[in-house]
Coordinates of all heavy atoms in Angstrom, one line a residue:
M12 N 67.5 29.6 39.5 CA 68.0 28.2 39.3 C 68.9 27.9 40.5 O 69.8 28.6 40.8 CB 68.7 28.1 38.0 CG 69.3 26.7 37.7 SD 70.1 26.6 36.1 CE 68.8 26.7 35.0
N13 N 68.7 26.7 41.0 CA 69.6 26.3 42.1 C 71.0 25.9 41.6 O 71.2 25.6 40.4 CB 69.0 25.2 43.0 CG 68.9 23.9 42.4 OD1 69.8 23.4 41.7 ND2 67.8 23.2 42.6
K14 N 72.0 25.9 42.5 CA 73.4 25.6 42.1 C 73.6 24.3 41.5 O 74.3 24.1 40.5 CB 74.3 25.7 43.3 CG 74.4 27.2 43.8 CD 75.3 27.3 45.0 CE 75.4 28.7 45.5 NZ 76.3 28.8 46.7
K15 N 72.9 23.2 42.0 CA 73.1 21.9 41.4 C 72.6 21.8 39.9 O 73.3 21.2 39.1 CB 72.3 20.8 42.2 CG 73.0 20.5 43.5 CD 72.4 19.4 44.2 CE 73.1 19.1 45.5 NZ 72.4 17.9 46.2
K16 N 71.5 22.5 39.7 CA 71.0 22.5 38.3 C 71.9 23.3 37.4 O 72.1 22.9 36.2 CB 69.6 23.1 38.3 CG 68.5 22.1 38.7 CD 67.1 22.7 38.6 CE 66.1 21.8 39.1 NZ 64.7 22.3 39.0
L17 N 72.4 24.4 37.9 CA 73.3 25.2 37.1 C 74.6 24.5 36.8 O 75.0 24.4 35.6 CB 73.6 26.5 37.8 CG 74.7 27.4 37.1 CD1 74.2 27.8 35.7 CD2 74.9 28.7 37.9
I18 N 75.2 23.8 37.7 CA 76.4 23.1 37.5 C 76.1 22.0 36.5 O 77.0 21.7 35.6 CB 76.9 22.5 38.8 CG1 77.5 23.6 39.7 CG2 78.0 21.5 38.6 CD1 77.9 23.3 41.0
K19 N 75.0 21.3 36.6 CA 74.7 20.3 35.6 C 74.6 20.9 34.2 O 75.0 20.2 33.2 CB 73.4 19.6 36.0 CG 73.1 18.4 35.2 CD 71.9 17.6 35.7 CE 71.8 16.3 34.9 NZ 70.9 15.4 35.5
K20 N 74.0 22.1 34.1 CA 73.9 22.7 32.7 C 75.2 23.2 32.2 O 75.3 23.2 30.9 CB 72.9 23.9 32.8 CG 71.5 23.5 32.9 CD 70.6 24.7 32.6 CE 69.2 24.3 32.3 NZ 68.9 23.8 31.0
I21 N 76.2 23.5 33.0 CA 77.5 24.0 32.5 C 78.5 22.9 32.4 O 79.7 23.1 32.1 CB 78.0 25.2 33.2 CG1 78.3 24.8 34.7 CG2 77.1 26.4 33.1 CD1 79.1 25.9 35.4
T22 N 78.1 21.6 32.7 CA 79.0 20.5 32.6 C 78.8 19.7 31.3 O 77.7 19.4 31.0 CB 78.8 19.5 33.8 OG1 79.0 20.3 35.0 CG2 79.7 18.4 33.8
F23 N 79.9 19.5 30.6 CA 79.8 18.8 29.3 C 80.8 17.7 29.3 O 81.9 17.8 29.8 CB 80.2 19.8 28.2 CG 79.4 21.0 28.2 CD1 79.8 22.2 28.8 CD2 78.2 21.0 27.5 CE1 79.0 23.3 28.8 CE2 77.4 22.2 27.4 CZ 77.8 23.3 28.1
N24 N 80.5 16.6 28.6 CA 81.4 15.5 28.4 C 82.5 15.9 27.5 O 82.2 16.7 26.5 CB 80.6 14.3 27.9 CG 81.5 13.0 27.7 OD1 82.2 12.9 26.7 ND2 81.4 12.2 28.6
K25 N 83.7 15.4 27.6 CA 84.8 15.8 26.8 C 84.6 15.4 25.3 O 85.3 16.0 24.5 CB 86.1 15.1 27.3 CG 86.2 13.6 27.2 CD 87.4 13.1 27.8 CE 87.5 11.6 27.6 NZ 88.8 11.1 28.0
N26 N 83.7 14.6 25.0 CA 83.4 14.2 23.6 C 82.3 15.0 23.0 O 81.9 14.7 21.8 CB 83.1 12.7 23.5 CG 84.4 11.9 23.9 OD1 85.5 12.2 23.4 ND2 84.2 10.9 24.7
T27 N 81.7 15.9 23.7 CA 80.6 16.8 23.2 C 81.2 17.6 22.1 O 82.3 18.2 22.2 CB 80.1 17.7 24.3 OG1 79.6 16.8 25.4 CG2 78.9 18.5 23.8
K28 N 80.4 17.8 21.0 CA 80.9 18.7 19.9 C 80.9 20.2 20.4 O 80.1 20.6 21.2 CB 80.0 18.6 18.7 CG 80.1 17.3 18.0 CD 79.2 17.2 16.8 CE 79.4 15.9 16.1 NZ 78.6 15.8 14.8
I29 N 81.8 20.9 19.8 CA 82.0 22.3 20.2 C 80.7 23.1 19.9 O 80.3 23.9 20.7 CB 83.2 23.0 19.4 CG1 84.5 22.4 19.9 CG2 83.1 24.5 19.5 CD1 85.7 22.8 19.2
K30 N 80.0 22.8 18.8 CA 78.8 23.5 18.5 C 77.7 23.3 19.6 O 77.0 24.2 19.9 CB 78.3 23.1 17.1 CG 77.7 21.8 17.0 CD 77.2 21.5 15.6 CE 76.7 20.1 15.5 NZ 76.1 19.9 14.2
D31 N 77.7 22.1 20.2 CA 76.7 21.8 21.3 C 77.1 22.6 22.6 O 76.2 23.0 23.3 CB 76.6 20.4 21.5 CG 76.0 19.6 20.3 OD1 75.2 20.2 19.5 OD2 76.4 18.5 20.0
V32 N 78.4 22.7 22.8 CA 78.8 23.5 24.0 C 78.4 25.0 23.8 O 78.0 25.6 24.8 CB 80.3 23.3 24.2 CG1 80.8 24.3 25.3 CG2 80.7 21.9 24.5
L33 N 78.6 25.5 22.6 CA 78.2 26.9 22.3 C 76.7 27.1 22.5 O 76.3 28.1 23.1 CB 78.7 27.3 20.9 CG 80.2 27.4 20.7 CD1 80.5 27.6 19.2 CD2 80.8 28.5 21.6
V34 N 75.9 26.2 22.2 CA 74.5 26.2 22.4 C 74.2 26.3 23.9 O 73.4 27.0 24.4 CB 73.7 25.1 21.8 CG1 72.3 25.0 22.2 CG2 73.8 25.2 20.2
G35 N 74.9 25.5 24.7 CA 74.8 25.5 26.1 C 75.2 26.8 26.7 O 74.6 27.2 27.7
F36 N 76.3 27.4 26.2 CA 76.7 28.7 26.7 C 75.5 29.7 26.5 O 75.3 30.5 27.4 CB 77.9 29.2 25.9 CG 79.2 28.6 26.3 CD1 80.4 29.0 25.6 CD2 79.3 27.6 27.3 CE1 81.6 28.4 26.0 CE2 80.5 27.0 27.6 CZ 81.6 27.4 26.9
Q37 N 74.8 29.7 25.4 CA 73.7 30.6 25.2 C 72.6 30.4 26.2 O 72.0 31.4 26.7 CB 73.1 30.4 23.8 CG 73.9 30.9 22.7 CD 73.3 30.7 21.3 OE1 72.8 29.6 21.1 NE2 73.3 31.7 20.5
E38 N 72.4 29.2 26.6 CA 71.3 28.8 27.6 C 71.7 29.3 29.0 O 70.8 29.5 29.8 CB 71.0 27.4 27.5 CG 70.4 26.9 26.3 CD 70.2 25.4 26.2 OE1 70.6 24.7 27.2 OE2 69.8 24.9 25.1
T39 N 73.0 29.3 29.3 CA 73.4 29.6 30.7 C 74.0 31.0 30.8 O 74.4 31.3 31.9 CB 74.4 28.6 31.2 OG1 75.6 28.6 30.3 CG2 73.8 27.2 31.2
A40 N 74.1 31.8 29.8 CA 74.7 33.1 29.8 C 74.2 34.0 31.0 O 75.0 34.7 31.6 CB 74.6 33.8 28.5
M41 N 72.9 34.0 31.3 CA 72.4 34.8 32.3 C 72.8 34.4 33.7 O 72.8 35.2 34.6 CB 70.9 34.8 32.2 CG 70.2 33.6 32.6 SD 68.4 33.8 32.7 CE 67.9 32.8 31.4
Y42 N 73.3 33.2 33.8 CA 73.8 32.7 35.1 C 75.3 32.8 35.3 O 75.8 32.6 36.4 CB 73.4 31.2 35.3 CG 71.9 31.0 35.2 CD1 71.4 30.3 34.1 CD2 71.0 31.5 36.2 CE1 70.0 30.2 34.0 CE2 69.6 31.3 36.1 CZ 69.1 30.6 35.0 OH 67.8 30.4 34.8
T43 N 76.0 33.1 34.2 CA 77.5 33.1 34.2 C 78.0 34.5 33.9 O 79.0 34.7 33.3 CB 78.1 32.1 33.3 OG1 77.6 32.3 32.0 CG2 77.7 30.7 33.7
E44 N 77.2 35.5 34.2 CA 77.5 36.9 33.9 C 77.8 37.2 32.5 O 78.7 37.9 32.1 CB 78.7 37.4 34.8 CG 78.4 37.3 36.3 CD 79.6 37.7 37.1 OE1 80.7 38.0 36.6 OE2 79.5 37.6 38.4
K45 N 77.1 36.5 31.6 CA 77.1 36.6 30.2 C 78.5 36.1 29.6 O 78.9 36.4 28.5 CB 76.8 38.0 29.7 CG 75.5 38.5 30.2 CD 74.9 39.4 29.2 CE 73.6 40.0 29.6 NZ 72.6 39.2 30.1
R46 N 79.1 35.3 30.4 CA 80.4 34.7 29.9 C 80.2 33.2 29.6 O 79.5 32.5 30.4 CB 81.5 34.8 31.0 CG 81.9 36.2 31.3 CD 83.0 36.3 32.3 NE 83.5 37.6 32.5 CZ 83.1 38.4 33.4 NH1 82.2 38.1 34.3 NH2 83.6 39.6 33.5
G47 N 80.7 32.8 28.5 CA 80.6 31.4 28.2 C 81.6 30.6 29.0 O 82.8 30.9 29.0
F48 N 81.1 29.7 29.8 CA 82.0 28.9 30.7 C 81.4 27.5 30.8 O 80.3 27.3 30.9 CB 82.1 29.5 32.0 CG 82.9 28.7 33.0 CD1 84.3 28.7 33.0 CD2 82.2 27.9 33.9 CE1 85.0 28.0 33.9 CE2 82.9 27.2 34.8 CZ 84.3 27.2 34.8
G49 N 82.3 26.5 30.8 CA 81.9 25.1 30.9 C 82.9 24.3 31.7 O 84.1 24.6 31.6
I50 N 82.4 23.3 32.4 CA 83.3 22.3 33.1 C 83.2 21.0 32.2 O 82.2 20.6 31.8 CB 82.7 22.0 34.4 CG1 82.6 23.3 35.3 CG2 83.5 20.9 35.1 CD1 81.8 23.1 36.5
I51 N 84.4 20.5 31.9 CA 84.5 19.3 31.1 C 84.9 18.1 31.9 O 85.8 18.1 32.7 CB 85.6 19.5 30.0 CG1 85.5 20.9 29.2 CG2 85.6 18.3 29.0 CD1 84.1 21.1 28.6
V52 N 84.1 17.1 31.7 CA 84.2 15.8 32.5 C 84.5 14.6 31.6 O 84.1 14.7 30.4 CB 83.0 15.6 33.4 CG1 82.8 16.7 34.5 CG2 81.7 15.4 32.6
D53 N 85.0 13.5 32.2 CA 85.2 12.3 31.5 C 84.1 11.4 31.7 O 83.1 11.8 32.3 CB 86.6 11.7 31.8 CG 86.7 11.3 33.3 OD1 85.7 11.3 34.0 OD2 87.9 11.0 33.7
Q54 N 84.2 10.1 31.3 CA 83.1 9.2 31.5 C 82.8 8.9 33.0 O 81.7 8.5 33.3 CB 83.5 7.8 30.8 CG 83.7 7.9 29.3 CD 85.2 8.3 29.0 OE1 85.9 9.0 29.7 NE2 85.6 7.9 27.8
K55 N 83.7 9.1 33.9 CA 83.5 8.9 35.3 C 83.0 10.1 36.0 O 83.0 10.2 37.2 CB 84.8 8.4 35.9 CG 85.2 7.0 35.4 CD 86.5 6.6 36.0 CE 87.0 5.3 35.4 NZ 88.3 4.9 36.0
D56 N 82.7 11.2 35.3 CA 82.3 12.5 35.7 C 83.4 13.2 36.6 O 83.1 14.0 37.4 CB 81.0 12.4 36.6 CG 79.8 12.2 35.7 OD1 79.8 12.7 34.5 OD2 78.8 11.8 36.2
A57 N 84.6 12.9 36.3 CA 85.8 13.6 36.9 C 86.1 14.8 36.0 O 86.2 14.7 34.8 CB 87.0 12.7 37.0
C58 N 86.3 15.9 36.6 CA 86.7 17.1 35.9 C 88.1 17.0 35.3 O 89.1 16.7 35.9 CB 86.6 18.3 36.8 SG 87.0 19.9 36.0
V59 N 88.1 17.1 33.9 CA 89.4 17.0 33.2 C 89.8 18.3 32.6 O 90.9 18.4 32.0 CB 89.3 15.9 32.2 CG1 89.2 14.5 32.8 CG2 88.2 16.1 31.2
G60 N 88.9 19.3 32.6 CA 89.2 20.6 32.1 C 88.1 21.6 32.2 O 87.0 21.2 32.7
V61 N 88.4 22.8 31.8 CA 87.4 23.9 31.8 C 87.5 24.5 30.3 O 88.5 24.4 29.7 CB 87.5 24.9 32.9 CG1 87.3 24.3 34.2 CG2 88.9 25.6 32.8
V62 N 86.5 25.2 30.0 CA 86.5 25.8 28.7 C 85.7 27.1 28.7 O 84.7 27.2 29.5 CB 85.9 24.9 27.5 CG1 84.5 24.7 27.7 CG2 86.3 25.5 26.2
T63 N 86.2 28.2 28.1 CA 85.5 29.5 28.0 C 85.2 29.7 26.5 O 85.8 29.0 25.6 CB 86.3 30.6 28.6 OG1 87.5 30.8 27.7 CG2 86.7 30.4 30.0
D64 N 84.4 30.7 26.3 CA 84.2 31.1 24.9 C 85.5 31.5 24.2 O 85.7 31.3 23.0 CB 83.0 32.1 24.7 CG 83.2 33.4 25.6 OD1 84.2 33.4 26.4 OD2 82.4 34.3 25.4
G65 N 86.4 32.1 25.0 CA 87.6 32.6 24.5 C 88.5 31.4 24.1 O 89.2 31.4 23.0
D66 N 88.5 30.3 24.8 CA 89.2 29.1 24.5 C 88.7 28.5 23.1 O 89.5 28.1 22.3 CB 89.1 28.0 25.5 CG 89.7 28.4 26.9 OD1 90.8 29.1 26.9 OD2 89.2 28.0 27.9
I67 N 87.4 28.5 23.0 CA 86.9 28.0 21.7 C 87.2 28.9 20.6 O 87.6 28.4 19.5 CB 85.3 27.9 21.9 CG1 85.0 26.7 22.9 CG2 84.7 27.6 20.6 CD1 83.6 26.6 23.3
R68 N 87.1 30.2 20.8 CA 87.5 31.1 19.7 C 88.9 30.9 19.2 O 89.2 30.9 18.0 CB 87.2 32.6 20.1 CG 85.8 33.0 19.9 CD 85.7 34.6 20.0 NE 86.4 35.1 21.2 CZ 85.8 35.3 22.3 NH1 84.6 35.0 22.5 NH2 86.5 35.9 23.3
S69 N 89.8 30.9 20.2 CA 91.2 30.7 19.9 C 91.4 29.3 19.1 O 92.2 29.3 18.1 CB 92.1 30.6 21.2 OG 92.0 31.8 21.8
Y70 N 90.8 28.3 19.5 CA 90.9 27.0 18.9 C 90.4 27.1 17.5 O 91.1 26.6 16.5 CB 90.2 25.9 19.7 CG 90.1 24.6 19.0 CD1 91.3 23.8 18.9 CD2 89.0 24.2 18.3 CE1 91.3 22.6 18.3 CE2 89.0 23.0 17.6 CZ 90.1 22.2 17.6 OH 90.1 21.0 17.0
L71 N 89.2 27.7 17.3 CA 88.7 27.8 15.9 C 89.5 28.6 15.0 O 89.7 28.3 13.8 CB 87.3 28.3 16.0 CG 86.2 27.4 16.7 CD1 84.9 28.2 16.8 CD2 86.1 26.1 16.0
L72 N 90.1 29.7 15.5 CA 91.0 30.5 14.7 C 92.3 29.8 14.3 O 92.8 30.1 13.2 CB 91.3 31.8 15.4 CG 90.2 32.8 15.6 CD1 90.7 34.0 16.5 CD2 89.8 33.4 14.2
R73 N 92.8 29.0 15.1 CA 94.0 28.2 14.8 C 93.8 27.1 13.8 O 94.5 27.0 12.9 CB 94.6 27.6 16.1 CG 95.3 28.6 17.0 CD 96.1 27.9 18.1 NE 95.4 26.7 18.6 CZ 94.8 26.7 19.8 NH1 94.8 27.8 20.5 NH2 94.2 25.6 20.3
K74 N 92.8 26.3 14.0 CA 92.8 25.1 13.2 C 91.4 24.3 13.3 O 91.3 23.3 12.6 CB 93.9 24.1 13.5 CG 93.8 23.6 15.0 CD 94.9 22.8 15.3 CE 94.9 22.6 16.9 NZ 96.1 22.0 17.4
G75 N 90.5 24.7 14.1 CA 89.4 23.9 14.5 C 88.2 24.0 13.7 O 88.1 24.9 12.8
S76 N 87.2 23.2 14.0 CA 85.9 23.2 13.4 C 84.9 23.1 14.6 O 85.2 22.4 15.6 CB 85.8 22.0 12.5 OG 84.4 21.7 12.2
I77 N 83.7 23.6 14.4 CA 82.7 23.5 15.4 C 82.2 22.1 15.6 O 81.5 21.7 16.5 CB 81.5 24.4 15.2 CG1 80.8 24.2 13.9 CG2 82.0 25.9 15.4 CD1 79.5 25.0 13.8
E78 N 82.6 21.2 14.6 CA 82.2 19.8 14.7 C 83.2 19.0 15.5 O 82.9 17.8 15.8 CB 82.1 19.2 13.3 CG 81.0 19.8 12.4 CD 79.6 19.5 12.9 OE1 79.4 18.4 13.5 OE2 78.8 20.4 12.8
D79 N 84.3 19.6 15.9 CA 85.3 18.9 16.7 C 84.8 18.7 18.1 O 83.9 19.4 18.6 CB 86.6 19.7 16.7 CG 87.3 19.7 15.4 OD1 87.0 18.9 14.5 OD2 88.2 20.6 15.2
K80 N 85.5 17.8 18.8 CA 85.1 17.5 20.2 C 85.7 18.6 21.1 O 86.8 19.1 20.8 CB 85.6 16.2 20.6 CG 84.9 15.1 19.9 CD 85.4 13.7 20.3 CE 84.6 12.7 19.5 NZ 85.1 11.3 19.7
I81 N 85.0 19.0 22.2 CA 85.4 20.0 23.0 C 86.7 19.8 23.7 O 87.5 20.7 24.1 CB 84.3 20.4 24.1 CG1 84.6 21.7 24.7 CG2 84.2 19.3 25.1 CD1 84.5 22.9 23.8
K82 N 87.1 18.5 23.9 CA 88.3 18.1 24.5 C 89.6 18.7 23.8 O 90.6 18.9 24.4 CB 88.5 16.6 24.7 CG 88.7 15.9 23.4 CD 88.8 14.4 23.7 CE 88.9 13.6 22.4 NZ 88.9 12.1 22.7
L83 N 89.4 19.1 22.5 CA 90.5 19.7 21.7 C 90.7 21.2 22.0 O 91.8 21.7 21.8 CB 90.3 19.5 20.2 CG 90.2 18.0 19.8 CD1 89.8 17.9 18.3 CD2 91.5 17.3 20.0
A84 N 89.7 21.8 22.6 CA 89.7 23.2 22.8 C 89.8 23.6 24.3 O 90.1 24.7 24.7 CB 88.5 23.9 22.2
M85 N 89.6 22.6 25.2 CA 89.5 22.8 26.6 C 90.9 23.2 27.2 O 91.9 22.8 26.7 CB 88.9 21.6 27.4 CG 89.8 20.5 27.5 SD 89.0 19.1 28.3 CE 90.3 17.9 28.4
N86 N 90.8 23.8 28.4 CA 92.0 24.2 29.1 C 92.3 23.1 30.2 O 91.4 22.9 31.1 CB 91.9 25.5 29.8 CG 93.0 25.9 30.7 OD1 94.0 25.2 30.8 ND2 92.9 27.1 31.2
K87 N 93.3 22.3 30.0 CA 93.6 21.2 30.9 C 94.4 21.7 32.2 O 94.5 20.9 33.1 CB 94.4 20.1 30.2 CG 93.7 19.5 29.0 CD 94.5 18.5 28.3 CE 93.9 18.3 26.9 NZ 94.9 17.7 26.0
D88 N 94.9 22.9 32.1 CA 95.8 23.4 33.2 C 95.0 24.5 33.9 O 95.3 25.7 33.7 CB 97.1 24.0 32.5 CG 98.1 24.4 33.6 OD1 98.0 23.8 34.7 OD2 98.9 25.3 33.3
F89 N 94.1 24.1 34.7 CA 93.2 25.0 35.3 C 93.4 25.0 36.9 O 93.9 24.1 37.4 CB 91.7 24.8 35.0 CG 91.2 23.4 35.4 CD1 90.6 23.2 36.6 CD2 91.5 22.3 34.6 CE1 90.2 21.9 37.0 CE2 91.1 21.0 35.0 CZ 90.4 20.8 36.2
I90 N 93.0 26.1 37.5 CA 93.1 26.1 39.0 C 91.7 26.1 39.5 O 90.8 26.8 39.0 CB 93.8 27.5 39.3 CG1 95.2 27.5 38.8 CG2 93.8 27.6 40.9 CD1 95.9 28.8 39.0
F91 N 91.5 25.4 40.6 CA 90.2 25.3 41.2 C 90.3 25.4 42.7 O 91.4 25.2 43.3 CB 89.4 24.0 40.8 CG 90.1 22.7 41.3 CD1 89.7 22.1 42.5 CD2 91.1 22.2 40.5 CE1 90.3 20.9 42.8 CE2 91.6 21.0 40.9 CZ 91.3 20.4 42.0

């Protein structure tokens, strides 16, 4: 898979449900060294956060639901 297609597959809108992001992680695991990882963008396709499977697990253990939007579990303080 070329880099542009991969980036598109690991990019999610901030209003995407957590369960849909997890499905995306399954589809891209072979390209991300079996790590769940996503880039979160806003309506203008600007990066507003990143998320890992660990971020999602932590969020779900604290208070969340897989029906919640990914923006609630994403890391807004990331380095790029």
Side-chain angles (χ1 to χ4, degrees):
M12 176 177 294
N13 71 41
K14 289 181 184 180
K15 285 185 181 182
K16 285 184 181 180
L17 176 58
I18 290 173
K19 190 171 184 167
K20 283 196 167 278
I21 64 170
T22 301
F23 304 92
N24 182 281
K25 67 181 183 174
N26 294 314
T27 303
K28 289 184 179 184
I29 290 173
K30 69 178 180 178
D31 296 327
V32 172
L33 291 172
V34 169
F36 284 179
Q37 286 180 314
E38 294 173 4
T39 60
M41 71 173 114
Y42 303 109
T43 59
E44 298 178 3
K45 304 213 185 309
R46 293 183 173 98
F48 174 79
I50 300 166
I51 310 303
V52 297
D53 63 12
Q54 297 85 333
K55 297 178 184 177
D56 283 337
C58 182
V59 294
V61 295
V62 69
T63 65
D64 55 352
D66 295 327
I67 291 173
R68 278 195 309 270
S69 293
Y70 175 76
L71 294 174
L72 286 172
R73 284 192 318 258
K74 59 184 171 194
S76 161
I77 62 170
E78 295 296 325
D79 291 344
K80 295 178 180 179
I81 196 63
K82 68 182 177 182
L83 299 173
M85 73 181 185
N86 179 354
K87 298 174 197 164
D88 186 28
F89 60 95
I90 298 172
F91 63 95

